[in-house]
């Protein structure tokens, strides 16, 4: 069953889980905002711009870095640029989390500057909620039979219908459920962030939680891309894997520089 039928309206499981994840992520962020002395309304004011710009960024990433399955259907970047109305057809095709990161971050920067809020504190408030939203949303890939990996005989495996298999794998039945791996690791990311925020509340610098969220997820995606079949290539390079490799390195360098600056300040006292 693809979803829930409400008369002529079909609510697909994938979209329902993405919406549920976003709602619960926002609720968690609002609770954290109240605990830290912020008005939780800030989170709900942020919800729409983050959702809009995150979705737009995710869609554009997909358009400019089409996967192998998209290319097989003729959904190339050239096709979308020559049929721009298809870019706005969000119910067809796909999205890319890298673009959602970029679009959402720009929206958060603009919102923080416009309203006089500290960007890094807002980012820290949102980080566990973002991990929760991604963990729930990824489960929707099960219903669309998307985001599966290499063939496997591992006990934790998923059967893919023949019409959902990539060219060259028509006779292979079972694959790694990458969406499940990623979902579980997103939940682990959320748990880690919540624990760190409590255990080391007096030691964390503003922005540390957000950077840890970015670094954790970047490492997860970089490693899982080795198992992924439906990848996006540019000049023979896995675009998503390269992006998350650079993101992880950027986070590691930022954390190092932050800690070095703190140590220098302490020693000068």
């Amino acid at each position: 069953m693809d979803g829930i039928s409400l008369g002529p309206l079909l609510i697909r499981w994938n979209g329902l889980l993405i919406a549920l994840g976003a709602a619960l992520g926002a609720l968690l962020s609002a609770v954290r905002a109240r605990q830290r002395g912020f008005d939780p309304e800030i989170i709900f004011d942020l919800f729409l711009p983050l959702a809009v710009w995150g979705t737009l960024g995710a869609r554009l990433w997909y358009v400019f870095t089409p996967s192998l399955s998209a290319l097989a259907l003729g959904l190339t970047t050239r096709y979308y640029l020559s049929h721009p109305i298809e870019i706005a057809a969000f119910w067809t095709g796909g999205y890319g989390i890298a673009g959602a990161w970029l679009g959402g971050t720009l929206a958060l920067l603009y919102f923080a500057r416009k309203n006089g809020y500290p960007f890094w504190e807002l980012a820290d408030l949102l980080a566990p909620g973002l991990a929760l939203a991604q963990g729930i949303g990824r489960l929707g890939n099960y219903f669309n039979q998307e985001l599966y990996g290499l063939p496997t005989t591992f006990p934790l495996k998923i059967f893919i219908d023949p019409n959902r298999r990539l060219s060259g794998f028509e006779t292979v039945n079972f694959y790694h459920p990458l969406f499940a791996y990623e979902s579980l690791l997103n939940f682990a990311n959320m748990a880690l962030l919540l624990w760190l925020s409590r255990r080391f509340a007096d030691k964390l610098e503003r922005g540390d939680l957000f950077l840890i969220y970015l670094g954790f997820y970047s490492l997860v995606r970089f490693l899982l891309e080795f198992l992924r079949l439906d990848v996006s290539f540019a000049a023979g390079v896995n675009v998503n894997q390269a992006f998350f490799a650079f993101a992880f390195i950027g986070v590691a360098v930022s954390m190092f520089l932050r800690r070095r600056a703190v140590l220098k300040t302490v020693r000068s006292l």
Side-chain angles (χ1 to χ4, degrees), residues 231-243:
V231 298
S232 302
F233 283 117
V237 175
N238 183 327
V239 178
N240 288 304
Q241 190 171 48
F243 174 87

Side-chain angles (χ1 to χ4, degrees), residues 2 98 246:
D2 291 332
F246 282 117

Side-chain angles (χ1 to χ4, degrees), residues 10-129:
L10 176 65
I11 302 176
R12 297 189 178 277
W13 289 115
N14 190 37
L16 183 62
L17 285 167
I18 290 173
L20 177 63
L24 293 179
L27 181 60
L28 174 59
S29 298
V31 170
R32 284 173 46 75
R34 183 184 295 276
Q35 291 172 343
R36 282 153 182 77
F38 285 86
D39 184 349
E41 287 296 324
I42 295 173
I43 302 301
F44 299 114
D45 290 341
L46 260 173
F47 186 85
L48 184 59
L50 286 180
V52 170
W53 287 99
T55 300
L56 179 60
R59 181 61 171 178
L60 291 176
W61 187 270
Y62 171 82
V63 167
F64 288 99
T65 63
S67 63
L68 293 176
S69 62
L71 295 177
L73 295 173
L75 299 176
T76 64
T77 300
R78 179 175 294 180
Y79 170 82
Y80 278 113
L81 293 179
S82 59
H83 301 80
I85 193 65
E86 294 293 329
I87 298 176
F90 292 103
W91 53 91
T92 64
Y95 303 87
I97 189 66
W101 270 12
L102 297 173
T105 300
L106 289 175
L108 183 60
L109 278 168
Y110 177 78
F111 180 90
R113 176 169 294 186
K114 180 181 178 182
N115 296 283
Y117 293 121
F119 168 81
W120 287 114
E121 287 190 38
L122 287 181
D124 283 343
L125 290 177
L126 292 170

Side-chain angles (χ1 to χ4, degrees), residues 211-266:
L211 288 173
I212 292 168
Y213 154 75
L214 293 177
F216 188 107
Y217 183 76
S218 294
L219 181 60
V220 166
R221 276 298 303 270
F222 174 78
L223 295 175
L224 289 182
E225 286 293 323
F226 285 111
L227 294 176
R228 191 166 183 172
L229 278 176
D230 194 17
V231 298
S232 302
F233 283 117
V237 175
N238 183 327
V239 178
N240 288 304
Q241 190 171 48
F243 174 87
F244 288 111
F246 282 117
F248 179 79
I249 293 170
V251 167
V253 171
S254 296
M255 292 295 286
F256 172 77
L257 294 176
R258 279 167 161 255
R259 287 295 169 265
R260 189 173 68 171
V262 170
L263 288 174
K264 285 183 177 180
T265 301
V266 171

Side-chain angles (χ1 to χ4, degrees), residues 125-188:
L125 290 177
L126 292 170
L130 291 173
L132 173 61
Q134 287 176 238
I136 296 173
R138 270 298 179 217
L139 295 175
N141 294 125
Y142 167 78
F143 297 97
N144 288 355
Q145 295 200 330
E146 300 169 327
L147 198 60
Y148 56 88
L150 294 170
T152 186
T153 57
F154 191 63
L156 184 60
K157 58 190 177 184
I158 184 173
F159 175 82
I160 299 298
D161 292 335
N163 64 323
R164 297 279 188 170
R165 298 172 192 168
L166 292 176
S167 176
F169 294 88
E170 292 85 356
T171 61
V172 181
N173 293 328
F174 295 100
Y175 301 81
H176 281 286
L178 291 192
F179 65 88
Y181 301 162
E182 186 177 325
S183 179
L184 291 172
L185 289 167
N186 273 311
F187 292 139

